[in-house]
Amino acid sequence: MESKVKSLREIVAEIPDEGAHIALGGFAITRNPVAFVFELIRQNKRDLTVSQIVAGLETDLLVGAGLVKKIQYSGGSLDRFGRLERINEAINKGLIDAREYSGTSMALRFLAGSMGIPFIPAKYLLGTDMLNALLEKKDDAIRVERSPFDGERYVYLRALQPDFAVIHAQYADEKGNVIIEGPYWDVETAKSAKKLFVTVEKVVSTEFIKRNPEKVVIPSLYVSAVAEVPFGAFPCSVYRFYDYDKDMLKEYAEASKDESKFKEFLQDYVLGTKDFEEFLEKVGGIRRLNKIKADPVYGY
Amino acid sequence: MSLPYTTNELMAVTAARLLRDKENVVVGLGLPQIAALLAQNTHAPNLTIIYEIGVINPEAEEMGVGVADPRLWYRAEHFTSFVGTLGSILQKGLVDVGFLGGLQVDKYGNINSTLIKTEKGIKHINGSGGAADMATWSKRLLIMMRHEKRKIVESVDYLTSVGYLRGYESRREEGLPMPEDVKIITNLCVFGFDEETRSLKLLSIHPGVKLEDVLQNTGVPLEISGEVKFTDEPTTEELELLRNKIDPQRMYI
């Protein structure tokens, strides 16, 4: 049987050096593909378009690193730890082309992409300044039309099929069957892409998959490659594996408020380490990670 | 006679009493979550609580830092996707109450949770997440805000979530379903909206608050006719539930 398991470095090398459109699967501070984004930054993938339902720490890092030229999203945060300061500053200074949506209008664009249909009509965005701004920019993903069935006004949300989607999940087998535990807001995002890369906490046997087919939320046929990256969402949480690391999130929230401090953070932790393992070692390794390991009953 | 209580306790109790049994509510972190849990523990045991991230009816033992915190997902009845919650449950018309907050609210109940305009230019803060979507389709909207002049304004700097848009029938003309009710609960008072003009209307002020304080801290002129009612106080039972069961660490009350 052909294995889709590759190293993170190999997977990121498949992305063109300039101009790729990537959908990210994180949500604020949970199941974010942080290790993947670290590697994107190390390999200097530039002029990216990023699409996401609710952005999180990994998106802020990528924008802060100056690699994103366009973002389509519905906002985001570090939950109570702070705002996405690098994204906010890039918007304030006009450094990125930001296309703002509501969460569901983004989610429905991914859903349409995953279904292979051209658009989805919805009432979402009607009357909002997100819609006004998109229409002003003549965004080709948005049209306001009357439905031929009920005659009512709808926003036609164009399907989104990004070049790549990247999500971080708990398990996959080497064929690429993906198990997500907890809520799975990123499934439509994952299924919409031309190529789907999945980083996982653990690669499991196909036998394990066959004993738990109801837990597989993305079957292998959608998946291009899998990389096993334990603690790959650190310092964000992965349900049933580990909690978020409060101190590291506070450190990031603080650093991200100031461009030079952010550059130091990037240099120390991302550019100054050869891979994610070295980064995890640098911030305290197994001693630190043991402190955030999830309780099996609570899942955090 | 009731025990002494905090403003946040009063706000949570006021919101909880506006929820009915067997309703479906979409909540976020903090007072909305506490209000929904209080309702579930009192008059609305069959309330269904939904988090946009894809979590239904959890029984958290600890308050978390946001909907992306697995603390909020503990003992859930169902996990789904964003499409499953706001793309399906909400869009199908099954959400009775959507809780909203934000940076600013205007006289027609429109909310800004995206950015602030300053002399130096725009200051981007957050964005919609699911908030605008909840404002589109929830049957009733409950807005919870700090009461400040710069937060309750004539018109918002950026319209993220639609309340009554430009008043009167403008929301319907835009193609949006009309909500049955919109209320704003602040730390000073409760606002509703006029049935015809759909503009801000004072419903009650919290006990101990002077009408003057409300008028001075509201960036919209208010018409006051007749005697102003006081918001009903929390009962001892409600306060004990809040303190001993729902938020024993007193993170939000």
Side-chain angles (χ1 to χ4, degrees):
Chain A
M1 186 175 43
E2 194 193 354
S3 171
K4 289 178 185 166
V5 176
K6 292 179 179 173
S7 72
L8 190 50
R9 193 171 294 156
E10 287 174 307
I11 290 178
V12 172
E14 289 184 29
I15 294 171
D17 288 338
E18 286 176 25
H21 180 174
I22 304 180
L24 295 172
F27 191 118
I29 53 167
T30 191
R31 268 198 313 101
N32 312 66
V34 176
F36 185 91
V37 162
F38 271 37
E39 189 56 30
L40 269 179
I41 296 172
R42 285 194 199 95
Q43 294 193 23
N44 195 29
K45 302 295 179 182
R46 299 173 298 279
D47 291 333
L48 300 172
T49 294
V50 170
S51 298
Q52 194 165 13
I53 300 175
V54 173
L57 178 131
E58 85 279 28
T59 333
D60 202 55
L61 261 171
L62 203 53
V63 171
L67 300 176
V68 178
K69 73 166 188 214
K70 181 177 175 184
I71 184 171
Q72 326 188 66
Y73 78 138
S74 76
S77 74
L78 303 175
D79 274 351
R80 289 275 156 124
F81 291 98
R83 297 169 181 158
L84 301 179
E85 302 283 0
R86 292 294 91 204
I87 297 179
N88 288 341
E89 185 157 309
I91 294 175
N92 295 346
K93 290 186 173 168
L95 301 176
I96 50 171
D97 179 2
R99 305 287 167 109
E100 298 212 39
Y101 288 78
S102 67
T104 315
S105 50
M106 277 305 294
L108 293 176
R109 290 195 62 196
F110 285 125
L111 176 65
S114 77
M115 294 169 76
I117 57 175
F119 66 90
I120 279 190
K123 294 280 185 189
Y124 296 127
L125 295 179
L126 284 175
T128 69
D129 276 342
M130 285 90 83
L131 180 64
N132 293 337
L134 289 164
L135 292 175
E136 251 168 51
K137 288 181 181 171
K138 301 198 167 21
D139 196 299
D140 66 1
I142 289 289
R143 290 177 68 157
V144 179
E145 300 281 348
R146 285 193 186 273
S147 158
F149 296 103
D150 61 16
E152 290 216 20
R153 287 183 93 217
Y154 286 88
V155 177
Y156 285 12
L157 299 156
R158 189 174 194 167
L160 199 49
Q161 290 191 339
D163 302 329
F164 304 94
V166 184
I167 66 164
H168 186 72
Q170 282 87 352
Y171 305 101
D173 70 352
E174 60 176 26
K175 287 177 75 177
N177 292 299
V178 182
I179 290 175
I180 292 176
E181 296 188 320
Y184 42 87
W185 60 88
D186 47 352
V187 164
E188 293 83 10
T189 305
K191 289 181 177 177
S192 73
K194 297 186 182 100
K195 273 192 165 185
L196 170 59
F197 296 143
V198 185
T199 57
V200 294
E201 289 298 321
K202 193 169 171 52
V203 171
V204 293
S205 67
T206 297
E207 187 55 31
F208 181 77
I209 293 291
K210 286 186 177 289
R211 289 182 190 201
N212 298 279
E214 71 284 351
K215 292 180 96 179
V216 174
V217 295
I218 304 171
S220 63
L221 58 99
Y222 286 100
V223 178
S224 292
V226 174
E228 187 178 58
V229 191
F231 289 95
F234 178 90
C236 303
S237 67
V238 172
Y239 182 60
R240 289 191 177 147
F241 272 79
Y242 47 93
D243 201 356
Y244 46 80
D245 185 301
K246 283 194 193 81
D247 294 331
M248 191 81 198
L249 285 175
K250 283 180 192 160
E251 189 180 336
Y252 180 78
E254 202 45 48
S256 68
K257 284 179 189 164
D258 178 88
E259 193 174 349
S260 63
K261 277 193 205 149
F262 175 82
K263 288 272 148 49
E264 276 172 39
F265 184 98
L266 205 60
Q267 188 58 45
D268 282 357
Y269 293 139
V270 186
L271 299 169
T273 57
K274 73 174 192 311
D275 56 27
F276 207 66
E277 272 179 34
E278 194 177 305
F279 157 69
L280 293 175
E281 280 302 319
K282 191 167 186 171
V283 297
I286 193 118
R287 276 170 203 275
R288 183 169 193 155
L289 300 176
N290 266 335
K291 287 186 200 154
I292 55 168
K293 274 169 79 175
D295 177 279
V297 169
Y298 287 96
Y300 57 82
Chain B
M1 212 179 69
S2 156
L3 298 169
Y5 53 85
T6 67
T7 304
N8 281 356
E9 286 172 334
L10 177 68
M11 289 171 75
V13 166
T14 305
R17 289 176 183 171
L18 292 168
L19 306 176
R20 302 166 199 152
D21 199 18
K22 298 183 189 172
E23 287 193 324
N24 308 317
V25 300
V26 180
V27 302
L29 184 74
L31 283 180
Q33 174 197 11
I34 285 176
L37 290 170
L38 179 61
Q40 220 174 28
N41 277 278
T42 51
H43 61 281
N46 304 296
L47 196 72
T48 292
I49 297 177
I50 301 156
Y51 292 110
E52 67 183 30
I53 196 168
V55 176
I56 297 178
N57 273 340
E59 291 173 25
E61 284 191 5
E62 285 179 67
M63 294 286 151
V65 296
V67 295
D69 188 337
R71 277 164 190 73
L72 264 69
W73 314 344
Y74 183 59
R75 284 178 62 76
E77 287 172 5
H78 181 59
F79 289 135
T80 178
S81 67
F82 210 99
V83 169
T85 55
L86 304 196
S88 176
I89 294 170
L90 176 67
Q91 198 164 210
K92 192 162 183 276
L94 299 177
V95 171
D96 297 290
V97 179
F99 276 94
L100 297 167
L103 304 164
Q104 297 175 311
V105 63
D106 73 15
K107 66 175 171 187
Y108 296 122
N110 303 305
I111 299 170
N112 169 16
S113 55
T114 301
L115 58 84
I116 295 293
K117 285 180 181 158
T118 71
E119 285 163 10
K120 288 186 228 161
I122 66 149
K123 192 169 156 34
H124 196 272
I125 307 281
N126 190 338
S128 157
D133 308 317
M134 282 154 62
T136 300
W137 273 118
S138 300
K139 289 179 194 154
R140 306 200 305 282
L141 297 177
L142 265 182
I143 304 165
M144 298 182 90
M145 298 265 294
R146 288 281 121 197
H147 202 130
E148 292 173 37
K149 202 165 195 152
R150 61 191 182 106
K151 296 181 80 113
I152 304 173
V153 295
E154 273 293 318
S155 77
V156 284
D157 290 352
Y158 186 100
L159 201 166
T160 314
S161 304
V162 182
Y164 287 112
L165 201 57
R166 293 174 296 274
Y168 295 95
E169 290 295 300
S170 60
R171 181 181 162 122
R172 196 192 304 279
E173 286 153 16
E174 185 69 19
L176 289 163
M178 283 299 260
E180 289 164 15
D181 191 42
V182 181
K183 281 195 173 66
I184 307 175
I185 301 171
T186 77
N187 46 308
L188 299 181
C189 69
V190 180
F191 289 116
F193 291 84
D194 183 88
E195 280 188 15
E196 192 199 345
T197 68
R198 305 295 185 182
S199 61
L200 198 67
K201 182 173 94 176
L202 185 62
L203 293 183
S204 68
I205 58 176
H206 299 337
V209 174
K210 292 194 192 86
L211 179 59
E212 216 177 275
D213 298 335
V214 174
L215 298 177
Q216 273 174 9
N217 289 295
T218 306
V220 180
L222 292 171
E223 269 181 48
I224 308 295
S225 53
E227 200 159 325
V228 180
K229 280 201 305 186
F230 283 107
T231 311
D232 291 335
E233 297 192 307
T235 65
T236 302
E237 188 208 352
E238 287 165 329
L239 290 171
E240 281 174 353
L241 277 168
L242 284 176
R243 293 169 194 179
N244 303 329
K245 185 168 178 191
I246 292 163
D247 188 10
Q249 295 132 332
R250 308 273 171 105
M251 276 182 76
Y252 297 105
I253 56 170

